[in-house]
């Protein structure tokens, strides 16, 4: 059966240059080979240590169909090269063996598996067995490579470091509705993100006997996020905090004065990000509930205090570096 799997499997993976290593993401139901078993199998097939260059990323998904057969979708990426293959087999372990062979040939292109798996020649004094009258039934069907139009649904390459820019309306930290603007950096793992940001809430005025008081907020934020992902969409859900200052320019009897008070707040944010290769579009909402905020005493009749926290909408961009 192994010879049949290898004979009907697609042509070996052909990245621009042979890779030095493979990063495998393996998703398969219980009862199928594990990712560790696939790695051990293709390493056992190698006759020498890989002599290629670079990293090939591989994402394999195995599912069972209604007819009881097993299906594999294998996506490999290296540099600008992407390959998508689909296989079908009667048993899940046959698909695992085919994947291990593809990886072994990608790491060591000189492998001649048909010759390696060829049965030994019979002794000279024995008659070779007659060939079978009919070929055995095929249990592995190869599906052609996914058309280019479907490749758009595959996830973009992971680029962990990125910058962000965002603007949106804000209510609560200053009088009325103001503008929120921010810029930051973040580092992402597969399902976790850590981010920091500089935040500015634009000035708004409060009437006063000696002229309006103009109030604004400047702060820095830190967040830790869980990041569920669906193909090119990510949905960060973040908890964190921000610290900074409420800055007010007020009119007094002795002239205009600048008052500065502390601003400290816990922060929660939910957003949706649609990713392309090096850029992403963001829409979201966040709320900050101050545990401490400044009270701005404009005059005897006018006071402003942020007691309800701050609610903000945001739209923006993420720029992925590498």
């Amino acid at each position: 059966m192994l010879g049949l799997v290898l004979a009907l499997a697609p042509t070996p993976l052909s990245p621009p240059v042979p890779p030095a290593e493979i990063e495998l993401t393996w998703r398969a139901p219980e009862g199928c080979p594990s990712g560790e078993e696939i790695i051990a199998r293709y390493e056992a097939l190698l006759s020498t240590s890989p002599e290629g260059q670079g990293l090939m990323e591989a994402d394999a998904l195995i599912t069972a169909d209604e007819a009881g057969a097993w299906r594999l979708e294998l996506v490999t990426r290296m540099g600008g090269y992407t390959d998508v293959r689909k296989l079908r087999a009667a048993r899940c372990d046959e698909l695992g063996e085919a994947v291990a062979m593809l990886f072994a040939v990608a790491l060591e292109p000189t492998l001649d598996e048909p010759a390696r798996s060829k049965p030994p020649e019979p002794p000279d004094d024995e008659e070779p067995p007659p060939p079978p009258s009919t070929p055995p039934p095929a249990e592995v069907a190869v599906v052609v490579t996914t058309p280019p139009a479907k490749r758009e649904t595959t996830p973009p390459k992971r680029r962990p470091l990125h910058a962000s820019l965002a603007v949106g309306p804000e209510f609560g930290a200053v009088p009325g509705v103001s503008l929120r603007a921010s810029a930051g950096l973040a580092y992402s793992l597969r399902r976790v993100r850590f981010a920091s940001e500089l935040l500015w809430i634009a000035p708004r005025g409060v009437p006063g006997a000696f002229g309006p008081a103009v109030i604004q907020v400047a702060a820095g934020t830190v967040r830790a996020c869980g990041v569920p992902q669906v193909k090119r969409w990510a949905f960060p859900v973040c908890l964190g905090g921000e610290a900074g200052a409420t800055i007010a320019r007020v009119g007094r009897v002795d002239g205009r004065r600048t008052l500065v008070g502390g601003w400290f707040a816990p922060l929660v944010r939910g957003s949706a990000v649609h990713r392309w290769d090096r850029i992403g579009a963001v829409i979201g909402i966040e709320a900050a509930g101050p545990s401490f905020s400044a009270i701005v005493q404009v005059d005897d009749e006018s006071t402003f205090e942020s007691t309800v926290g701050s609610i903000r909408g945001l739209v923006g961009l993420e720029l992925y570096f590498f």
Side-chain angles (χ1 to χ4, degrees):
M1 185 60 64
L2 173 57
L4 180 60
V5 172
L6 298 179
L8 294 180
T11 55
L13 304 178
S14 302
V17 296
E21 59 180 317
I22 295 173
E23 180 182 280
L24 174 61
T25 300
W26 181 262
R27 293 171 290 168
E30 185 178 354
C32 290
S34 66
E36 290 77 10
E37 291 173 325
I38 300 302
I39 294 171
R41 177 57 181 148
Y42 76 69
E43 289 179 345
L45 291 171
L46 298 175
S47 61
T48 63
S49 299
E51 298 180 355
Q53 300 178 6
L55 171 71
M56 184 170 74
E57 296 181 336
D59 191 328
L61 172 64
I62 293 183
T63 56
D65 61 20
E66 296 179 354
W70 296 90
R71 297 181 181 273
L72 164 73
E73 180 173 339
L74 176 65
V75 181
T76 55
R77 304 181 187 87
M78 184 172 178
Y81 165 86
T82 300
D83 185 82
V84 182
R85 293 163 186 260
K86 293 185 178 180
L87 301 177
R88 181 176 178 271
R91 299 202 313 270
C92 188
D93 58 347
E94 294 175 353
L95 293 178
E97 185 69 26
V99 171
M101 177 54 60
L102 288 172
F103 290 166
V105 175
L107 290 165
E108 187 180 348
T110 57
L111 278 176
D112 184 9
E113 185 57 29
R116 290 158 61 96
S117 60
K118 183 177 179 180
E121 294 290 338
D124 293 339
D125 57 351
E126 292 185 13
E127 290 292 332
S133 58
T134 57
E139 294 190 24
V140 178
V142 179
V143 181
V144 296
T145 301
T146 307
K150 292 187 178 180
R151 292 188 182 181
E152 294 298 325
T153 64
T154 59
K157 180 179 179 181
R158 289 192 300 115
R159 302 181 186 276
L161 183 63
H162 72 265
S164 63
L165 301 170
V167 296
E170 186 279 339
F171 175 78
V174 298
V177 177
S178 185
L179 173 70
R180 170 206 182 281
S182 64
L185 289 173
Y187 187 86
S188 298
L189 304 175
R190 286 190 178 275
R191 294 292 183 270
V192 181
R193 174 182 296 184
F194 302 96
S196 62
E197 199 170 53
L198 295 178
L199 169 73
W200 177 64
I201 298 175
R204 294 285 292 174
V206 176
F210 301 98
V214 180
I215 304 171
Q216 61 185 307
V217 172
T221 72
V222 292
R223 304 186 304 276
C225 312
V227 190
Q229 299 183 34
V230 180
K231 296 181 180 178
R232 291 184 174 270
W233 284 93
F235 302 93
V237 179
C238 308
L239 295 175
E242 63 184 37
T246 299
I247 305 170
R249 180 72 170 165
V250 303
R252 298 291 178 84
V253 176
D254 55 352
R256 304 288 294 177
R257 295 177 59 187
T258 299
L259 307 178
V260 178
W263 169 270
F264 304 97
L267 183 71
V268 60
R269 174 189 289 190
S271 58
V273 184
H274 186 272
R275 275 202 57 186
W276 291 273
D277 184 30
R278 291 186 177 273
I279 193 169
V282 185
I283 184 169
I285 188 170
E286 68 181 12
S291 56
F292 173 82
S293 61
I295 300 175
V296 179
Q297 183 72 43
V298 180
D299 51 41
D300 293 339
E301 299 179 356
S302 181
T303 300
F304 173 76
E305 179 182 7
S306 175
T307 58
V308 298
S310 175
I311 301 175
R312 309 145 185 180
L314 59 96
V315 293
L317 297 174
E318 292 185 351
L319 307 175
Y320 306 99
F321 297 142
F322 60 85

